[in-house]
Amino acid sequence: MFSKILIANRGEIALRVVRACREMGIASVAVHSTADSDAMHVRMADESVCIGPPPGTQSYLLAPAIISACEITGAEAIHPGYGFLSENASFAQVVEDHDLIFIGPSAEHIRMMGDKITAKETMAALGVPCVPGSDGEVQTLADAERVGDQIGYPVIVKATAGGGGRGMKLARSAAEMATAFQSARSEAKSAFGNDAVYLEKYLTTPRHIEVQVFGDGRGNAVHLGERDCSLQRRHQKVLEEAPSPALDAMTRTKIGQICADAVARINYSGAGTIEFLYENGEFYFIEMNTRLQVEHPVTEAVYGVDLVREQIRIAAGLPLSVLQENLVPQGHAIEVRINAEKLPRFSPCPGTISAYHAPGGLGVRMDSALYDGYSIPPYYDSLIAKLIVHGRDRPEALARLSRALGELIVDGIDTTVPLFPALLEEPDIRSGDYSIHWLEQWLAETFED
Ligand code: ADP
């Protein structure tokens, strides 16, 4: 096992990894920008290294600075968290080239899944059901129009290098194809430096259901069921739950096994998430994320497995610590994402926290790097906390979430907290009957001026 791990990230996820390291008896090294000298992940880690000025490109995304920090501190492995360098195949390669261990899959698998067209082709070949669409990249508008007519409208134009909901445009009819095609390409070019796009049938009222998998890199893999992340705004998740209110145990086992078999066959190593849209009882693969997800705690709650610990074990060459037959979900978990954003427009709202109190009690987990007097820097993602509750069943989890939200205090800045008590009043949320469009519609109705 490693004796020291460097965490190439910040905020709640860096703290999350520090916690796993401490429980495993591994020393942790935090890296930080000059804007994060007082950050909680820096305070909690055993050591810290300042790696540059505030902009991510000059610190958290700067591979040479991170590798140097490993050399200075003697860290043997790097945990990338999510975002930043977590799905950067060249970084994973550089880490390996320096005789360090990247806590994640191989550069080859990151590259394979980072290109959505290659990912889809690979998954289809492994027997994973995919959304009907173009056969790979579509290069000209004429081709896009031809494929659009074949698969039938509405059609979504997606960037093969896409992520974070960007580079995706909807064409409701043939008349909208020219605009959708061109704007998806130019957005993809400027956001990802790659304007390759492909087409998919646009599913009108699907749920977003994703399966957590773990591979040991030697042909063995397990799944840890699904998370339902259908509550989204601008293709970004807002609330996640496990298990999905839409699946029964048989369906879960079936799709879970398809996913575990697929990653086992490619000798995948570490944590991965296979994302699907689910409509009328059918699953349609959309992408695979080759890292830990923001919403991993709901899986941890219902399966009782520490996913970061599992990632570290696998990276150290140990076998999976769990057997598929022992992985049975217990109860129900819900996570809400708390952002430093002002409603109703979700405008970023950094600033100083004048008072902070985290909720507690049975079945409540607060993953956050906030503290009293903390100044949220304006340079990074606006996620400041994740509140996760676990109950014996969904109604108990809902009641617990409502109770925990009532205890939470985050003063001094605007946050998305007020959204959640209002959502919990909604009959559709209480019954679990919502698709990926539900939240946008609700926001439009609730906040219309
Ligand atoms: P990203 O990598 O940018 O997150 P994804 O491919 O994971 O992009 O898609 C993000 C979200 O966009 C999905 O959760 C869903 O809400 C929507 N979406 C993607 N593909 C489709 C599709 N074919 N039909 C309908 N909605 C889609």
Side-chain angles (χ1 to χ4, degrees):
M1 185 42 72
F2 309 117
S3 50
K4 198 184 270 190
I5 290 176
L6 180 138
I7 302 151
N9 216 302
R10 64 181 300 284
E12 68 83 21
I13 194 61
L15 197 54
R16 167 72 188 85
V17 180
V18 169
R19 286 172 169 152
C21 288
R22 189 139 302 147
E23 289 182 17
M24 296 174 81
I26 301 170
S28 55
V29 180
V31 292
H32 66 91
S33 71
T34 50
D36 276 341
S37 309
D38 288 333
M40 197 55 124
H41 76 281
V42 176
R43 294 178 177 203
M44 289 289 194
D46 294 302
E47 285 174 73
S48 63
V49 181
C50 180
I51 52 165
T57 48
Q58 295 173 48
S59 49
Y60 297 105
L61 288 165
L62 198 62
I66 293 166
I67 301 288
S68 303
C70 278
E71 282 172 1
I72 294 166
T73 56
E76 307 142 86
I78 299 180
H79 195 300
Y82 53 70
F84 291 125
L85 293 165
S86 61
E87 289 178 293
N88 185 317
S90 331
F91 178 69
Q93 190 61 55
V94 166
V95 172
E96 218 173 278
D97 294 345
H98 283 77
D99 291 329
L100 298 164
I101 306 274
F102 180 77
I103 302 176
S106 66
E108 180 205 348
H109 285 145
I110 298 175
R111 197 166 287 121
M112 180 188 277
M113 298 305 167
D115 182 275
K116 292 189 180 185
I117 291 176
T118 313
K120 252 183 113 166
E121 284 167 0
T122 308
M123 286 298 174
L126 291 166
V128 177
C130 295
V131 191
S134 59
D135 197 7
E137 185 185 347
V138 174
Q139 289 177 334
T140 64
L141 175 58
D143 283 344
E145 287 171 339
R146 189 179 46 77
V147 178
D149 289 339
Q150 265 166 22
I151 59 179
Y153 288 88
V155 163
I156 188 162
V157 186
K158 295 172 81 168
T160 189
R166 282 182 305 169
M168 247 188 288
K169 297 289 166 198
L170 175 64
R172 273 175 291 251
S173 64
E176 291 182 3
M177 182 51 95
T179 318
F181 182 71
Q182 264 127 22
S183 64
R185 276 183 80 140
S186 62
E187 196 173 301
K189 179 89 191 157
S190 63
F192 314 110
N194 173 356
D195 67 359
V197 296
Y198 62 107
L199 304 191
E200 265 178 9
K201 174 114 191 124
Y202 181 75
L203 301 173
T204 47
T205 49
R207 300 183 76 110
H208 173 117
I209 295 180
E210 57 185 34
V211 176
Q212 177 71 55
V213 291
F214 260 98
D216 69 356
R218 292 186 288 263
N220 304 301
V222 293
H223 72 86
L224 289 88
E226 80 287 5
R227 295 180 286 261
D228 195 318
C229 312
S230 302
L231 272 192
Q232 303 181 350
R233 175 180 175 270
R234 301 201 173 159
H235 306 304
Q236 299 273 19
K237 299 158 189 169
V238 171
L239 176 153
E240 303 95 348
E241 57 183 315
S244 168
L247 298 193
D248 58 29
M250 241 171 66
T251 314
R252 168 171 315 112
T253 301
K254 192 165 164 227
I255 192 66
Q257 207 50 55
I258 289 174
C259 292
D261 289 346
V263 296
R265 276 174 61 191
I266 58 170
N267 291 331
Y268 186 83
S269 171
T273 294
I274 304 188
E275 297 194 335
F276 294 94
L277 295 175
Y278 179 73
E279 192 173 67
N280 301 326
E282 301 287 337
F283 286 94
Y284 302 95
F285 169 78
I286 45 171
E287 69 164 343
M288 175 166 181
N289 293 323
T290 52
R291 55 169 165 84
L292 190 69
Q293 303 268 109
V294 175
E295 59 276 19
H296 75 277
V298 292
T299 301
E300 295 188 322
V302 295
Y303 283 92
V305 176
D306 178 335
L307 299 190
V308 178
R309 181 189 176 95
E310 207 59 32
Q311 285 187 297
I312 295 172
R313 283 175 50 93
I314 291 168
L318 294 173
L320 294 162
S321 75
V322 285
L323 292 173
Q324 189 67 61
E325 61 258 37
N326 297 337
L327 289 168
V328 181
Q330 304 291 338
H332 197 93
I334 307 175
E335 171 183 281
V336 294
R337 296 193 189 195
I338 298 170
N339 291 348
E341 287 171 356
K342 190 172 165 59
L343 298 173
R345 301 202 184 287
F346 295 82
S347 30
C349 193
T352 301
I353 306 291
S354 56
Y356 173 65
H357 175 77
L362 179 63
V364 175
R365 166 175 173 181
M366 188 75 175
D367 275 22
S368 172
L370 291 183
Y371 58 86
D372 265 329
Y374 174 61
S375 282
I376 299 165
Y379 310 102
Y380 311 109
D381 194 88
S382 59
L383 180 80
I384 50 167
K386 305 182 313 204
L387 170 58
I388 305 103
V389 295
H390 184 215
R392 286 173 300 180
D393 51 24
R394 197 168 180 276
E396 189 169 274
L398 288 168
R400 191 155 282 158
L401 179 57
S402 169
R403 186 272 290 170
L405 284 163
E407 290 176 19
L408 172 64
I409 298 171
V410 183
D411 284 347
I413 58 160
D414 283 294
T415 72
T416 51
V417 169
L419 202 58
F420 301 111
L423 280 175
L424 288 175
E425 298 287 307
E426 290 294 329
D428 289 345
I429 299 298
R430 301 205 73 81
S431 65
D433 181 18
Y434 53 85
S435 81
I436 56 167
H437 304 297
W438 190 95
L439 183 61
E440 297 261 10
Q441 274 163 20
W442 180 83
L443 287 168
E445 286 157 21
T446 307
F447 293 113
E448 69 187 4
D449 341 283

